[in-house]
Amino acid sequence: MRVLLVEDDQVLGEALRDHVAAGGHAVDWFKRILDAVAATDTVSYGLILLDLRLPDGEGLTLLRSLRARGDGTPVIVLTAHDQISDRIEGLNSGADDYLVKPFDLNELTARMLAVSRRYTGNATPTVKLPGIEIDQVHRKIAVNGDSQNLSAREWAVLDKLVAHPGALVSKAQLHDALYAFGAEIESNTVEVYISRLRKKIGPHRIETVRGLGYCFR
């Protein structure tokens, strides 16, 4: 998914960006609320990782503004403040989860996936359909009992498609899942990864809706 990271600490920000990107997600990293607001006005994110203490104000200001305008994007608050009152305020402002610094990066990954599953309505991390089983947590996929290896970007496309089986996913939405701001975008990237996925999971699994996008069947 496309992830917005709002964190002003350079060292921690780099570590978080690299860790999340290594999981196959596109990451936009900003250090100021103003820049984050501009990003949310431009891109539809799958998840926001939000620090509370930022150079130009409180992260909760951004969170409250998102919720006030009806934006339900999942938000995980990251903060060094572990007071119960701080957690309550964050959750009451619309946060979906709360992590106190320092935290283990693997725990962050688990919480990201858990929040994403709740948001998409998939209570289980494993998608089971006739002839195919997709374990989104451990990044494992079996087609007719045979394991298949997917690259990080193949997973990014597949995750977007299986989040809502049968629903149309536009090419633009898949681009958003693959690329962060500033990344060089190739015109046929989506088609390339769709083709690779079809070879691995079966050509009938992904339907092309000409001129509109793709559906996972």
Side-chain angles (χ1 to χ4, degrees):
M1 56 188 159
R2 184 84 171 260
V3 176
L4 173 61
L5 170 62
V6 190
E7 168 62 61
D8 67 317
D9 184 276
Q10 183 69 27
V11 175
L12 179 58
E14 288 179 355
L16 291 171
R17 178 198 60 197
D18 294 347
H19 178 77
V20 175
H25 309 292
V27 184
D28 295 323
W29 173 27
F30 297 102
K31 301 178 180 180
R32 295 168 54 86
I33 294 174
L34 187 63
D35 295 328
V37 169
T40 59
D41 288 340
T42 306
V43 176
S44 177
Y45 288 99
L47 182 75
I48 299 174
L49 301 176
L50 180 63
D51 186 23
L52 290 187
R53 304 292 186 262
L54 296 162
D56 56 341
E58 293 287 326
L60 291 184
T61 301
L62 171 60
L63 177 56
R64 292 187 184 111
S65 69
L66 290 173
R67 298 302 186 240
R69 72 189 194 194
D71 189 329
T73 304
V75 175
I76 298 178
V77 168
L78 313 175
T79 181
H81 296 268
D82 62 352
Q83 296 295 319
I84 294 297
S85 58
D86 290 328
R87 300 187 201 184
I88 292 173
E89 184 180 11
L91 293 170
N92 285 341
S93 296
D96 297 270
D97 205 347
Y98 203 103
L99 266 176
V100 177
K101 304 173 184 176
F103 49 81
D104 185 271
L105 291 176
N106 290 324
E107 180 183 2
L108 172 63
T109 298
R111 288 176 180 265
M112 287 174 59
L113 292 173
V115 167
S116 179
R117 288 198 303 272
R118 292 199 299 270
Y119 178 71
T120 59
N122 294 329
T124 172
T126 302
V127 177
K128 295 182 179 180
L129 296 169
I132 189 170
E133 184 171 316
I134 304 169
D135 185 339
Q136 294 172 292
V137 171
H138 300 101
R139 287 297 192 245
K140 295 180 180 179
I141 184 169
V143 180
N144 297 320
D146 296 327
S147 297
Q148 297 289 334
N149 294 318
L150 303 186
S151 69
R153 285 193 166 181
E154 287 167 355
W155 272 112
V157 173
L158 185 62
D159 281 342
K160 194 73 174 179
L161 291 171
V162 302
H164 303 284
L168 176 68
V169 180
S170 70
K171 184 176 178 180
Q173 288 174 309
L174 293 176
H175 267 139
D176 281 348
L178 287 167
Y179 292 107
F181 283 123
E184 184 176 346
I185 300 176
E186 298 179 13
S187 60
N188 66 336
T189 298
V190 169
E191 289 83 354
V192 167
Y193 287 111
I194 291 291
S195 176
R196 291 179 182 176
L197 282 172
R198 282 173 170 155
K199 291 178 181 178
K200 293 180 178 181
I201 69 175
H204 64 288
R205 295 287 181 187
I206 302 175
E207 177 187 349
T208 299
V209 181
R210 192 169 298 278
L212 295 176
Y214 302 90
C215 289
F216 181 81
R217 299 298 185 188

